[in-house]
Amino acid sequence: MRPSFYSGWKHVFKLDPDRDIGDEALEAVCASGTDAILVGGSSGVTFDNTVELMSRIRRYEVPCAFELSDPACGVPGFDGYFIPSVLNTKRAEWLIGHHAAAIREFGHLLPWDSIVGEAYLVLNPDATVAKLTEADADISPAEAVAFAQVADRLWNVPVLYVEYSGTFGDMELLGTIRNTLHQAHLFYGGGIDGPDKAAQAALRADTVVVGNIIYENLAAALATVNAVNQAVKEQKDVLRKG
Ligand code: 1GP
């Protein structure tokens, strides 16, 4: 059976171990009513800064998962682990090579019951993750949908993550991708700077990921929790009545 610890998440905050967050802000984030905290970052993530952030988040009841992209940062104690692959990378190691090498070495240590594969579709060429993985982010909507279908239909990935990190994405494309998905759970992240954009994304993705704005405008970040829940509720009401 696949792990499904993430299946009810509508809203998550993503915290970067390589960025500073004060105790008060962290408490506000963890007690905000978000469904989970996702720990991860594209650069500067180490075992030590991951342990430190996890132990601070662990003071609160909110579920906490980790995007594990470097086996050297395999910190135990999270509620779940996502192992990312980049669908549209030009370099095979970011799709499968690093994963195979890590499993060869550490596979016997991995808590498989709480590990989920996460297929990233990186669509902002300026994002750090796009540069790091040499993702071919300037692709047409039809190509993006095709990548999503490979992940969903051919590979049966549990999670498809449409990643626009740093900029707000094409909501029409996100909706199209969602409509083509057969089984994958859809994460959306990128450029959500307040309730309006959070609500738009919530109408199209299963889980909305809010990152950078936490560090820039905490009040706006916190307002996204209610916006997502409200949008999901209104959508359900419409579907029920229709
Ligand atoms: C980053 O998708 C997340 O991996 C969130 O993006 O930082 O732009 O909110 P932002």
Side-chain angles (χ1 to χ4, degrees):
M1 267 262 287
R2 277 180 170 186
S4 60
F5 58 86
Y6 56 87
S7 62
W9 296 354
K10 305 287 179 214
H11 177 285
V12 309
F13 281 124
K14 192 187 257 195
L15 292 177
D16 185 341
D18 194 35
R19 294 183 80 172
D20 291 331
I21 183 164
D23 286 340
E24 256 179 54
L26 186 67
E27 176 164 6
V29 164
C30 291
S32 62
T34 187
D35 296 307
I37 307 294
L38 188 54
V39 173
S42 299
S43 63
V45 177
T46 65
F47 188 90
D48 289 349
N49 62 19
T50 303
V51 169
E52 198 208 331
L53 181 58
M54 185 194 72
S55 55
R56 290 175 68 207
I57 295 167
R58 280 293 187 220
R59 294 181 201 148
Y60 307 97
E61 284 179 11
V62 65
C64 182
F66 183 43
E67 284 185 314
L68 177 58
S69 44
D70 177 354
C73 303
V75 173
F78 284 93
D79 296 309
Y81 295 84
F82 294 100
I83 310 255
S85 295
V86 177
L87 293 168
N88 52 331
T89 179
K90 294 192 201 82
R91 299 176 54 157
E93 62 261 44
W94 292 107
L95 181 68
I96 192 167
H98 289 312
H99 315 71
I103 285 175
R104 187 172 167 193
E105 198 169 344
F106 301 106
H108 60 293
L109 297 173
L110 292 178
W112 288 106
D113 289 347
S114 50
I115 289 181
V116 173
E118 188 187 42
Y120 266 71
L121 184 54
V122 178
L123 295 176
N124 174 13
D126 296 325
T128 306
V129 62
K131 292 182 176 145
L132 177 72
T133 65
E134 293 180 33
D136 196 2
D138 278 319
I139 53 177
S140 69
E143 287 170 312
V145 169
F147 273 115
Q149 286 194 298
V150 168
D152 179 55
R153 305 291 290 230
L154 295 186
W155 296 349
N156 255 346
V157 298
V159 172
L160 175 71
Y161 192 135
V162 173
E163 173 67 293
Y164 279 91
S165 182
T167 192
F168 192 58
D170 178 341
M171 289 295 108
E172 193 183 329
L173 174 58
L174 183 66
T176 306
I177 288 175
R178 192 210 200 145
N179 290 338
T180 65
L181 291 182
H182 177 67
Q183 57 78 38
H185 183 99
L186 181 60
F187 279 27
Y188 169 82
I192 292 180
D193 58 5
D196 289 351
K197 288 181 180 143
Q200 288 182 53
L203 294 177
R204 296 163 175 96
D206 297 310
T207 302
V208 175
V209 183
V210 177
N212 193 44
I213 196 69
I214 301 165
Y215 302 92
E216 291 187 345
N217 182 343
L218 182 61
L222 296 173
T224 63
V225 178
N226 192 38
V228 166
N229 289 332
Q230 203 53 38
V232 170
K233 184 175 174 300
E234 282 167 18
Q235 193 180 36
K236 272 191 192 148
D237 287 347
V238 169
L239 290 175
R240 204 178 308 126
K241 283 181 194 146

